[in-house]
Amino acid sequence: MVRQHLAQAGIELQVHKKRVKNINFRLKPYTLMVSAPAFISTAQIEQAIAKRVSWAIDNHAQVLEQHQRKHRPLADASTADSPILLWGAEQSITLSHDKKLAYYREQLAAIMPSLFDKWQPVVGAYAQEIRLKKMHTRWGSCNTRARRIWLSVYLPAYPLECTEYVIVHELCHLHHANHSHEFWQTVATAMPDYRYWHDMLAGKTGQLD
C-alpha cells in the first residue's frame, strides 16, 4: 500500500539495509531512498516509511523545483549561436536556437522508427501514432486511449539511451496508465538499466507522463 501511494505520486521507493544506526530518508526527484540498519525488521521499516509517505508526497514538488534550478534547461537556451550536442557528443557546428530545434527534430525523426521497431516487441506494446513536439516541461507523453506517443525534440542533446528510455517509459504506459509499482516493474523488465538514463534526464527540462 505504501509503495502504491508513492507510485501514484510518481515516486519510486528504494530501501537498502546498511551499517547505519537509524532509519534515514532521502527524497530525490521521483525517488524516496531509505537506508535502514541491518538489525531492524522489515515490519519496523515499513512502519517508519508509512509515517513518511505524506511528507514525501507533499515535498516532492519542491524537491523537483530545486533540482531543476541546478540545471539550465535546454529549452531555455540562448538564441545566440551555440555548439550543438548530438546524442551526448559535441558537434563541430553551431546553430541558432531555432535552427538547433529544426536540426534536433530532423535527427530524432530519422532514428525514431528504428527505435520503436526495437523496443515495441520488447515491451509488448505498440503505438498507433508517434509524434514530435517542442515540450518545455516533459520528455514524453502518452495518450493511452489513442495509443499516441509524443517525444520532446530536445532529446537528441542527450545520449541515445535517454531517448530509448523515454520510448520504453511511454510504451509501458500502454500496459499501465499510471506510475504504479507494476508500471515501474514493467519498465525494469524491459530495460534493466533504465534508472541510469532516468537519472540523467531527471530535472533537466521536465518529467515524463
Side-chain angles (χ1 to χ4, degrees):
M1 185 64 70
V2 168
R3 286 185 182 273
Q4 184 178 356
H5 284 315
L6 289 170
Q8 288 174 348
I11 304 172
E12 180 182 4
L13 177 64
Q14 294 185 5
V15 181
H16 302 281
K17 287 195 173 183
K18 299 181 178 181
R19 293 182 178 179
V20 293
K21 295 182 179 180
N22 303 302
I23 300 177
N24 300 311
F25 297 86
R26 185 180 180 187
L27 184 60
K28 300 176 64 178
Y30 312 111
T31 308
L32 175 61
M33 302 183 69
V34 182
S35 57
F39 60 83
I40 291 183
S41 69
T42 300
Q44 288 176 302
I45 296 173
E46 290 179 349
Q47 289 176 358
I49 294 173
K51 295 178 181 179
R52 286 295 193 114
V53 170
S54 296
W55 165 81
I57 293 174
D58 291 343
N59 287 276
H60 189 228
Q62 183 179 355
V63 170
L64 283 177
E65 182 179 355
Q66 291 175 347
H67 189 74
Q68 289 169 359
R69 287 176 182 172
K70 296 178 182 179
H71 301 86
R72 182 183 181 185
L74 182 61
D76 293 336
S78 171
T79 55
D81 290 358
S82 58
I84 292 292
L85 286 173
L86 180 62
W87 308 126
E90 187 169 327
Q91 307 297 297
S92 58
I93 58 174
T94 58
L95 295 173
S96 67
H97 184 61
D98 289 343
K99 291 183 178 180
K100 179 189 294 185
L101 290 185
Y103 178 72
Y104 282 158
R105 183 182 291 274
E106 178 183 347
Q107 296 296 322
L108 187 54
I111 200 169
M112 191 169 60
S114 63
L115 294 182
F116 273 86
D117 286 345
K118 172 184 177 180
W119 288 104
Q120 287 181 137
V122 175
V123 176
Y126 294 79
Q128 294 286 354
E129 189 177 3
I130 305 161
R131 295 184 182 181
L132 304 181
K133 190 175 182 180
K134 180 182 175 182
M135 292 188 281
H136 293 278
T137 60
R138 298 194 182 278
W139 289 115
S141 64
C142 178
N143 183 318
T144 56
R145 290 185 179 181
R147 304 184 75 83
R148 181 188 303 117
I149 290 176
W150 294 86
L151 298 179
S152 169
V153 295
Y154 295 104
L155 280 168
Y158 299 92
L160 182 63
E161 290 86 352
C162 290
T163 297
E164 292 188 283
Y165 160 64
V166 174
I167 290 173
V168 169
H169 184 111
E170 302 306 337
L171 286 172
C172 286
H173 275 312
L174 297 177
H175 290 302
H176 307 282
N178 53 23
H179 290 100
S180 63
H181 179 60
E182 290 74 18
F183 166 81
W184 288 111
Q185 282 186 322
T186 304
V187 173
T189 298
M191 193 179 198
D193 63 343
Y194 84 90
R195 170 58 60 181
Y196 181 83
W197 310 111
H198 169 283
D199 289 349
M200 185 176 291
L201 290 175
K204 297 295 184 181
T205 63
Q207 53 186 307
L208 292 161
D209 187 16

